[in-house]
């Protein structure tokens, strides 16, 4: 068994025991000031915790680092954590509790789109601020909401031309998870493939509990595409990557994905099963930059193990540091002042430069094309600097409509 | 397989004076409460009231008619979706709220007819209702595509429907209920349904139901068509569960496929068992306790909430066999020496 | 001909998955009448036992056996500590096993973390005409059929099978005839658990092992066993055959959304 006692304690008691301890605040000499309250609502329990656990620890680490460096505006941060237990009902209850009772200045959290859509109206109603640190389908236009993760066009406009032109993947077969994200991502895949002169042979959607992919693998063999595009999501769909390798094999057909790797999928597959999958990402542990190396080292020291960190973990750290930068820029921590300062806020983070796009409150970031390798990690092939959240920019302009709170669906023809 | 006879059978005795006092006092407290507690607590309590309605609909059927409907969540979810889709299409909410009771009741009528008139009973009936709700869940989850639209509303599949409109006052549609309004609404609905069901059990209809639970054959020999009564009770419970679902949608401004799911279905049973199905008040207490416990645990940094909750449940079954309230009742009776039961 | 072979393969593969996930439940729920909501978690424990055994260096087939033994023993412990107090109390069993299922998921997540663990099968693939299919799926079909034959023979032709069937039919009578029904219940529950653990292990190269994998299978398993009706073993076979055929044909033939 590959776990230490410390690791057990970490996962058993949660990251909270390490975060924002009174001693740490005292050493930093900022304990006397009224703390700035930060809320974090994520799923420590239940089916979604595969995406949340690293992020919970990363948020705690970011808060501790800020406190160790003297706090924000001379005030310490105080972290309030709520375990939403993979149940949207708790997202609603804790969002209200965080804003009304615990009076937090910002909430980081929500993993799924549905949980975000439950939290967002509450945040709007109580004039709070929500940092949604997750990969999602794009289109949310709300000044009280900041998205720090990738949206489909941002990712795919780098990935698809690369795979088509450099690797010869002209004819694609698209597989996506059967929910909002999958449907929208599949449409963007089709559009970008066609715009680049390729061919999309088929699009198929899979309910999130499907584990038997034998039928579609036979259909893929019938259609004979150059590349299979995957926007599959969640634990059950991991079975696809295993069965693909057992049946067709990546040496015979290209495999590229918009979702693989963000939830540390490669650590759950054998080296052979993960070797050779192409993805577009804003952060992998193996990025050859000083910032990335330093982040991974600090994180592993913080949690006391040397596990792969991954994109969702980094999102949490990214969200807190971007918010902290906006607070410094605003000179105040209350939501309305911070919101006014959001546009153009920049942080040189682990995955490159992050810039909040004031038009959409989404994040402009570097996108890296990487390929899975035999060490259950990724080789970086090419980086595309400063990719804007193009799809959401098409439908959202918070400068013109500051009171907009809609989630738009980008119409793709 | 027969259920072991319970030590304490729910009886339909006329309520004593102190019961009326309790109802009046509880109502008064509930109405005064929002002035003293913050809205986060109001929100937490409202959802307990809403879910307690669902627990009531099950315990009424189970404790008094002897039908264990594992799939009350089918009507719960249906009520929620009916309200959400109708209210978003029509821009008016009173009709949709009523519709959210009628449609699930009709649906209960249809599946109830086939089960009850088909003489399906016992554990098979329970399991069929469970399968119905799981099929509905699967169906709703498969509606992510943009072709699944009812009126102007996307059904939304996995993600459910966000932005369910709040209830407007029937006499003044421009005023929508805020959190305290939802508190009054859900508390009021719970008190009304509770008192209504309690009094219903005193009527001839209620007595026949209890008679059926005690001995269906004998009741039929006495000239009552047991199937008709059972179906009526099933429909009524479906309507109550539908109301609960609609209020849940109003409470959180969202409905989702998880409302139909196995997790939700099992939770309802847990609330009812923890509180004890031998009374109507028990399930309300059970819902409150479990909901409070899980909400509180989620903020305590205990790690895996399910670890604690699961342990509590196992111990519960082994120690409090009758459910919490009846167990406490028995204990009190023993302490005061007024127990009529022999301590065997 | 090639199409026929592919259809046969799809059906066989679906069938074997249905058999694997529901065979243990057919015994525990179908025969014993215990509604075990932790069934999915037994499956998950089997998957984890297999993964750990394989990571410790055992060959895969031995890891399967380890998983069956571990989960079988675990089932016996659960039966002794919880289930045996609850025979005949259908609903209490339901609640207790639901609690147990939450507990196991929480415990496994605490110890192993939420991520999937996995073992890859080293078998390759082979061709049917223009198609290739994984050899491991054939192994799964063989195991599923072998388990079926084993269970049928066990309950039909052995003394234990006779005693078990008698006890489930009329425990008082069996006791009266001098059968140690307590032991029989324990052994039968252990057998059902072991089969479930083995199924979880066999599924590992396909699905991996994750703390929450149980919920993907529990509903399917219950529906299969219930659809099978009052004769647990034969019923489950026929229901699995039916569902497997439907699943195999529909999933393969359903036209994808060509856009």
């Amino acid at each position: 068994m590959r776990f230490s006692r410390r690791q057990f304690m970490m996962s058993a008691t949660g990251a909270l025991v390490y975060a924002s301890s009174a001693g740490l605040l005292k050493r930093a000499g900022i304990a006397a000031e009224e703390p700035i309250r930060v809320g974090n609502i994520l799923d420590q329990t239940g089916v979604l915790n595969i995406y949340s656990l690293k992020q919970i620890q990363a948020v705690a680490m970011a808060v501790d680092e800020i406190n160790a460096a003297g706090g924000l505006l001379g005030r310490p941060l105080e972290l309030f954590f709520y375990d939403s237990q993979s149940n949207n009902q708790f997202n609603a209850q804790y969002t209200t509790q965080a804003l009304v009772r615990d009076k937090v200045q910002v909430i980081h959290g929500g993993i799924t789109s549905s949980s975000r859509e439950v939290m967002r109206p509450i945040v709007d109603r109580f004039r709070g601020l929500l940092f949604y640190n997750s990969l999602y389908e794009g289109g949310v236009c709300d000044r009280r909401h900041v998205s720090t993760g990738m949206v489909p066009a941002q990712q795919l406009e780098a990935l698809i031309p690369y795979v088509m032109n450099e690797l010869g993947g002209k004819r694609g077969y698209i597989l996506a998870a059967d929910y909002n994200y999958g449907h929208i991502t599949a449409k963007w895949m089709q559009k970008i493939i066609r715009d680049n002169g390729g061919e999309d042979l088929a699009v198929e959607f899979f309910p999130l509990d499907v584990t038997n992919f034998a039928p579609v693998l036979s259909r893929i063999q019938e259609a004979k595409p150059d590349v299979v595009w995957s926007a599959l999501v969640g634990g059950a769909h991991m079975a696809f990557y295993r069965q693909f390798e057992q049946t067709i094999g990546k040496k015979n057909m290209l495999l590229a994905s918009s979702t693989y790797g963000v939830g540390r999928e490669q650590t759950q597959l054998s080296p052979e099963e993960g070797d050779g999958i192409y993805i577009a990402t804003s952060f992998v542990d193996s990025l050859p930059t000083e910032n990335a190396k330093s982040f991974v080292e600090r994180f592993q020291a913080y949690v006391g193990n040397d596990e792969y960190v991954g994109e969702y973990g980094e999102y949490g750290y990214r969200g807190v540091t971007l918010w902290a930068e906006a607070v410094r820029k605003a000179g105040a921590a209350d939501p309305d002042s911070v919101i006014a300062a959001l546009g153009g806020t920049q942080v040189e983070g682990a995955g490159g430069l992050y810039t909040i796009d004031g038009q959409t409150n989404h994040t402009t970031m570097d996108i890296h094309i990487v390929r899975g390798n035999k060490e259950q990690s990724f080789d970086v092939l090419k980086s595309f600097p400063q990719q804007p959240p193009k799809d959401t920019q098409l439908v959202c302009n918070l400068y013109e409509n500051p009171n907009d709170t809609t989630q738009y669906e980008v119409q793709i023809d | 397989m027969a259920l072991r006879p319970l030590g304490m059978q729910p009886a339909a005795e006329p309520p004593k004076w102190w019961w009326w006092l309790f109802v009046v006092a509880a109502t008064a407290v509930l109405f005064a409460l929002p002035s003293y507690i913050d809205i986060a607590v109001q929100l937490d309590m409202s959802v307990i009231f809403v879910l307690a309605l669902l627990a009531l609909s099950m315990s009424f059927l189970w404790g008094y008619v002897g039908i264990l409907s594992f799939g009350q969540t089918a009507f719960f979810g249906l009520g929620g979706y009916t309200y959400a889709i109708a209210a978003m299409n029509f821009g008016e909410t009173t009709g949709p709220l009523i519709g959210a009771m009628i449609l699930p009741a009709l649906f209960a009528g249809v599946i109830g007819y086939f089960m009850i008139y088909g003489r399906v009973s016992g554990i098979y009936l329970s399991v069929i209702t469970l399968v119905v709700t799981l099929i509905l869940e699967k169906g709703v989850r498969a509606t992510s595509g943009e072709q699944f639209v009812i009126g102007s509303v996307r059904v939304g599949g996995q993600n459910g429907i966000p932005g369910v409109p709040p209830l407007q006052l029937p006499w003044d549609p421009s005023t929508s209920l805020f959190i305290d309004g939802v508190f009054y609404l859900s508390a009021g609905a719970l008190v009304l349904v509770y008192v209504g069901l309690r009094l219903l059990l005193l009527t001839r209809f209620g007595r026949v139901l209890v008679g059926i639970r005690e001995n269906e054959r004998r009741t039929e020999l006495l000239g009552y068509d047991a199937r008709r009564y059972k179906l009526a009770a099933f429909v009524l419970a479906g309507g109550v569960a539908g109301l609960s679902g609609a209020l849940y949608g109003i409470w959180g401004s969202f409905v989702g496929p998880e409302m139909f799911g196995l997790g939700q279905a099992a939770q309802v049973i847990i609330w009812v068992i923890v509180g004890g199905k031998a009374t109507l008040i028990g399930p309300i207490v059970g819902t409150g306790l479990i909901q409070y416990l899980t909400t509180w645990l989620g903020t305590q940094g205990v790690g895996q909430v399910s670890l604690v909750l699961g342990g509590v449940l196992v111990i519960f079954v082994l120690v409090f066999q009758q459910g919490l309230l009846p167990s406490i009742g028995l204990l009190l009776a023993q302490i005061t020496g007024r127990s009529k039961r022999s301590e065997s | 001909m090639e199409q026929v072979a592919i259809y046969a393969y799809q059906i066989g593969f679906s069938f074997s998955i249905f058999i694997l996930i529901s065979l243990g439940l057919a015994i525990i729920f179908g025969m014993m009448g215990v509604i075990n909501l932790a069934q999915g978690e037994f499956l998950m424990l089997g998957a984890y036992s297999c993964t750990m055994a394989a990571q410790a260096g055992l060959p895969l087939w031995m890891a399967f056996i380890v998983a069956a033994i571990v989960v079988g023993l675990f089932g016996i412990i659960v039966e002794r500590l919880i289930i045996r107090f609850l025979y005949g109390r259908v609903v209490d069993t339901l609640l207790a096993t639901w609690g147990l299922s939450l507990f196991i998921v929480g415990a496994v997540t605490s110890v192993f973390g939420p991520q999937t663990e996995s073992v890859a099968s080293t078998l390759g693939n082979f061709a049917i005409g223009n198609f290739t299919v994984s050899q491991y799926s054939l192994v799964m079909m063989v195991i599923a059929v072998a388990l079926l034959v084993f269970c049928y023979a066990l309950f039909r032709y052995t003394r234990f099978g006779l005693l078990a069937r008698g006890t489930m039919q009329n425990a008082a009578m069996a006791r009266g005839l001098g059968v140690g029904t307590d032991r029989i219940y324990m052994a039968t529950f252990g057998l059902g658990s072991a089969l479930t653990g083995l199924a979880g292990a066999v599924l590992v190269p396909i699905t991996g092992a994750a703390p929450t994998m149980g919920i993907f299978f529990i509903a399917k398993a219950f529906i299969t066993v219930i659809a099978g009706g009052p004769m647990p073993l034969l019923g489950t076979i026929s229901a699995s055959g039916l569902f497997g055929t439907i699943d195999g044909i529909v999933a393969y033939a359903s036209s994808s959304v060509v856009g």
Side-chain angles (χ1 to χ4, degrees):
Chain A
M1 286 191 297
R2 295 174 297 142
F3 63 91
S4 62
R5 189 179 159 277
R6 172 100 194 267
Q7 190 182 344
F8 175 77
M9 291 301 293
M10 274 305 290
S11 48
T13 55
L16 268 191
V17 282
Y18 292 86
S20 308
S21 61
L24 188 70
L25 297 181
K26 203 173 268 170
R27 259 183 289 133
I30 47 175
E33 297 289 328
E34 171 74 12
I36 298 172
R37 298 176 163 203
V38 177
N40 185 214
I41 304 179
L42 284 171
D43 308 305
Q44 188 164 23
T45 316
V47 288
L48 293 171
N49 67 4
I50 179 168
Y51 294 110
S52 298
L53 286 178
K54 291 281 173 195
Q55 192 168 115
I56 293 169
Q57 294 169 327
V59 167
M61 171 170 118
V63 166
D64 276 1
E65 282 189 0
I66 290 171
N67 281 336
L72 263 186
L73 312 174
R75 293 163 67 188
L77 299 184
E78 186 181 0
L79 182 62
F80 287 74
F81 174 73
Y82 312 85
D83 178 4
S84 43
Q85 303 167 40
S86 307
N87 181 344
N88 288 346
Q89 183 193 320
F90 290 118
N91 285 91
Q93 284 175 266
Y94 291 141
T95 307
T96 311
Q97 188 179 327
L99 292 168
V100 173
R101 191 186 309 156
D102 300 332
K103 304 217 174 348
V104 301
Q105 305 287 17
V106 62
I107 293 176
H108 289 269
I111 282 289
T112 59
S113 276
S114 57
S115 69
R116 182 200 62 237
E117 287 309 295
V118 166
M119 295 164 76
R120 212 158 54 79
I122 303 171
V123 172
D124 287 337
R125 179 187 281 168
F126 294 110
R127 293 158 205 263
L129 173 59
L130 172 67
F131 270 68
Y132 175 58
N133 307 314
S134 186
L135 167 92
Y136 90 110
E137 68 275 5
V140 171
C141 194
D142 186 338
R143 55 197 280 270
R144 298 192 175 277
H145 158 272
V146 181
S147 159
T148 57
M150 296 184 288
V151 288
Q154 204 168 15
Q155 225 185 341
L156 298 174
E157 293 207 330
L159 180 65
I160 292 181
Y162 182 90
V163 171
M164 288 178 66
N165 301 328
E166 314 252 330
L167 306 170
K170 299 280 184 202
R171 304 168 75 236
Y173 199 107
I174 300 171
L175 312 178
D178 186 12
Y179 74 114
N180 210 354
Y181 169 80
H183 281 264
I184 292 175
T185 304
K187 274 197 223 155
W188 277 105
M189 285 178 170
Q190 286 180 295
K191 174 181 160 54
I192 298 170
I193 290 173
R194 288 176 198 170
D195 288 353
N196 285 278
E199 196 183 341
D200 52 307
L201 300 174
V203 180
E204 292 195 39
F205 297 104
F206 295 87
L208 290 171
D209 60 349
V210 167
T211 51
N212 177 6
F213 287 91
V216 69
L217 286 167
S218 294
R219 281 197 297 276
I220 290 174
Q221 292 182 323
E222 229 169 336
K224 298 191 180 61
D226 304 322
V227 54
V228 173
W229 297 100
S230 145
L232 298 169
V233 174
H237 285 181
M238 293 298 298
F240 171 75
Y241 300 104
R242 299 198 174 89
Q243 293 169 29
F244 184 87
E245 196 54 29
Q246 285 168 16
T247 316
I248 299 177
K250 284 183 289 294
K251 59 180 187 298
N252 302 318
M253 198 179 288
L254 290 167
L255 181 57
S257 171
S258 67
T259 46
Y260 180 82
V262 292
R264 308 168 66 246
E265 280 84 353
Q266 82 285 357
T267 62
Q268 304 151 25
L269 296 177
S270 71
E272 292 72 31
E273 287 161 346
D275 181 30
I277 301 181
Y278 290 88
I279 61 167
T281 176
S282 64
F283 174 80
V284 287
D285 286 21
S286 51
L287 274 183
T289 62
E290 280 311 308
N291 276 346
K293 279 179 196 146
S294 154
F295 170 75
V296 172
E297 275 166 24
R298 278 178 292 142
F299 186 88
Q300 290 178 342
Y302 184 76
V303 300
N305 64 43
D306 57 357
E307 287 175 12
Y308 185 87
V309 184
E311 182 146 355
Y312 262 77
E314 199 270 339
Y315 278 164
Y317 189 83
R318 180 192 301 190
V320 176
T321 47
L322 272 170
W323 168 78
E325 191 53 38
V327 170
R328 288 192 198 101
K329 222 173 121 190
D334 65 289
D336 283 342
S337 308
V338 177
I339 289 166
L342 280 174
T345 297
Q346 284 193 330
V347 166
E348 187 65 47
L353 181 66
Y354 306 132
T355 313
I356 297 182
D357 169 46
Q359 183 193 331
T360 57
N361 274 6
H362 283 53
T363 306
T364 298
M365 62 190 91
D366 298 352
I367 298 293
H368 314 280
I369 307 293
V370 303
R371 183 182 55 210
N373 61 25
K374 283 209 162 69
E375 283 78 52
Q376 295 186 313
S377 182
F378 296 95
D379 297 331
V380 182
L381 303 174
K382 190 172 180 182
S383 294
F384 295 80
Q386 295 299 290
Q387 296 289 303
K390 245 187 211 166
D391 41 12
T392 310
Q393 283 174 337
L394 288 174
V395 288
C396 176
N397 193 334
L398 289 169
Y399 293 130
E400 285 172 13
N401 309 307
N403 294 324
D404 202 344
T405 58
T406 322
Q407 178 175 10
Y408 295 96
E409 193 164 316
V410 185
Q411 292 304 321
I412 310 162
D413 34 41
Chain B
M1 182 179 317
L3 289 173
R4 213 172 69 164
L6 284 161
M8 186 189 273
Q9 290 288 2
E13 288 166 18
K16 310 259 180 357
W17 61 269
W18 52 262
W19 183 81
W20 287 108
L21 191 69
F22 165 74
V23 169
V24 172
T27 312
V29 168
L30 286 178
F31 266 82
L33 215 49
S35 320
Y36 299 98
I37 53 178
D38 74 44
I39 45 183
V41 180
Q42 289 176 29
L43 194 81
D44 292 352
M45 291 182 71
S46 308
V47 77
I48 289 175
F49 298 151
V50 170
L51 296 172
L53 272 176
L54 178 58
L56 256 187
S57 84
M58 164 179 270
S59 74
F60 167 72
L61 268 186
W62 187 13
Y64 290 88
V65 198
I67 298 175
L68 171 52
S69 167
F70 203 149
Q72 281 303 98
T73 42
F75 315 117
F76 177 69
L78 211 55
Y81 271 86
T82 307
Y83 174 80
I85 290 168
M88 290 169 89
N89 270 318
F90 303 134
E92 187 269 344
T93 58
T94 312
L97 183 63
I98 296 167
M101 290 182 260
I102 291 174
L103 197 74
L106 285 178
F107 182 63
V110 174
I111 63 166
Y113 176 81
F114 285 112
M115 288 189 306
I116 292 164
Y117 279 76
R119 295 281 185 197
V120 176
S121 63
I123 197 70
Y124 280 94
L125 188 144
S126 312
V127 170
I128 288 176
T129 55
L130 177 64
V131 171
V132 167
T133 193
L134 291 180
I135 289 172
L136 283 175
E137 184 199 11
K138 192 112 181 116
V140 173
R141 281 195 197 277
T143 59
S144 296
E146 55 189 11
Q147 67 271 37
F148 297 102
V149 177
I150 300 179
S152 59
V153 183
R154 282 274 290 274
V155 185
Q158 195 76 26
N159 281 21
I161 306 176
V164 173
L167 195 71
Q168 303 150 356
L169 297 178
W171 55 91
D172 177 15
S174 60
T175 312
S176 295
L177 291 185
F178 190 54
I179 288 180
D180 54 347
V182 174
F183 180 89
Y184 287 130
L185 176 71
S186 52
L190 180 61
V191 170
L192 281 181
V193 171
Y194 169 66
V195 172
L197 288 179
R198 184 73 180 77
L199 296 182
L200 180 73
L201 289 169
L202 302 177
T203 61
R204 203 180 87 120
F205 176 74
R207 289 178 187 286
V208 176
L209 288 182
V210 176
I212 292 170
R213 182 200 65 202
E214 291 300 320
N215 192 328
E216 183 166 346
R217 174 76 46 85
R218 190 175 295 170
T219 314
E220 289 196 324
L221 287 175
L222 288 171
Y224 297 101
D225 184 352
R227 294 178 300 183
R228 223 175 63 204
Y229 283 89
K230 279 166 84 172
L231 183 60
F234 195 71
V235 168
L236 180 66
V240 172
L243 172 67
S244 170
L247 292 175
Y248 186 79
I250 292 170
W251 170 82
S253 301
F254 68 92
V255 294
E258 63 276 4
M259 289 172 77
F260 295 99
L262 181 65
Q264 187 77 34
Q267 265 196 325
V268 185
I269 297 213
I270 290 166
W271 300 329
V272 173
I273 298 180
V274 166
K277 69 179 174 10
T279 60
L280 286 178
I281 197 82
I284 300 176
V285 176
T287 312
L289 274 178
I290 297 287
Q291 281 293 308
Y292 177 79
L293 187 67
T294 40
T295 313
W296 177 76
L297 281 174
T299 59
Q300 295 307 303
V302 293
Q304 293 296 312
V305 171
S306 60
L307 196 69
V308 182
L309 198 61
V312 168
L313 288 176
V314 173
I315 292 167
F316 222 94
V317 179
L318 296 176
V319 179
F320 300 99
Q321 299 187 357
Q322 306 281 327
L324 193 61
L325 279 197
S327 293
I328 291 175
L330 277 179
L331 193 70
L332 283 179
Q334 281 178 6
I335 290 171
T336 54
R338 284 196 285 129
S339 172
K340 290 171 199 150
R341 291 155 47 89
S342 59
E343 267 83 13
S344 56
Chain C
M1 191 55 219
E2 190 181 294
Q3 285 294 328
V4 174
I6 279 294
Y7 271 113
Y9 164 75
Q10 298 294 355
I11 292 169
F13 187 59
S14 292
F15 174 71
S16 65
I17 289 183
F18 275 105
I19 286 289
L20 284 171
I21 61 176
S22 51
L23 195 57
L25 193 68
I27 290 171
I28 289 178
F29 172 60
M31 273 184 70
M32 304 177 68
V34 173
I35 302 188
N36 182 15
L37 284 182
Q39 192 71 16
E41 281 61 42
F42 283 30
L43 198 84
M44 180 263 283
L45 287 176
Y48 268 94
S49 311
C50 169
T51 312
M52 281 164 56
Q55 280 170 356
L58 290 182
L60 201 55
W61 64 271
M62 266 169 81
F64 291 169
I65 296 171
V66 169
I69 293 172
V70 169
V71 180
L73 289 177
F74 181 78
I76 288 176
I77 295 171
V78 167
E79 201 270 349
R80 284 292 96 181
L81 289 181
I82 301 174
I83 307 289
R84 75 174 161 131
F85 301 108
L86 303 173
Y87 286 119
R89 288 159 57 190
V90 177
V91 176
D92 290 340
T93 321
L94 193 131
L95 181 59
T97 52
W98 175 256
L100 185 68
S101 118
L102 289 178
F103 184 85
I104 298 175
V105 172
V108 171
T109 312
S110 296
V111 175
F112 295 100
Q115 67 273 27
T116 324
E117 303 267 332
S118 165
V119 181
S121 87
T122 46
L123 301 171
N125 48 24
F126 71 96
I128 306 178
N130 282 329
F131 297 89
T132 49
V133 298
S134 84
Q135 289 183 10
Y136 187 74
S137 53
L138 296 188
V139 174
M140 273 176 63
M141 292 181 211
V142 172
I143 294 178
V145 172
L147 285 180
L148 269 183
V149 173
F150 166 75
C151 286
Y152 184 77
L154 182 72
F155 284 105
R156 185 72 182 76
Y157 297 112
T158 66
R159 185 173 156 74
F160 167 76
L162 184 71
L163 293 181
R165 282 184 293 141
T167 304
M168 302 314 154
Q169 222 162 51
N170 190 335
M173 179 69 82
R175 227 180 350 261
L177 293 171
V179 179
T181 53
D182 199 43
R183 287 263 171 85
I184 294 285
Y185 273 119
M186 186 178 86
T188 314
F189 194 87
L191 175 69
S193 310
L195 286 172
T196 312
L198 181 60
V202 173
L203 285 172
V204 162
I206 302 286
T207 62
T212 49
M213 70 187 281
I215 56 163
F216 297 133
F217 299 107
I218 181 87
K220 262 186 206 163
F222 265 101
I223 291 174
T224 310
V225 174
I226 288 155
M231 286 166 68
L233 221 44
L234 291 176
T236 301
I237 298 173
S238 45
S240 297
L242 180 68
F243 289 153
T245 309
I246 296 173
D247 191 56
I249 293 179
V250 171
Y252 176 59
S254 64
S255 57
S256 44
V257 191
V258 182

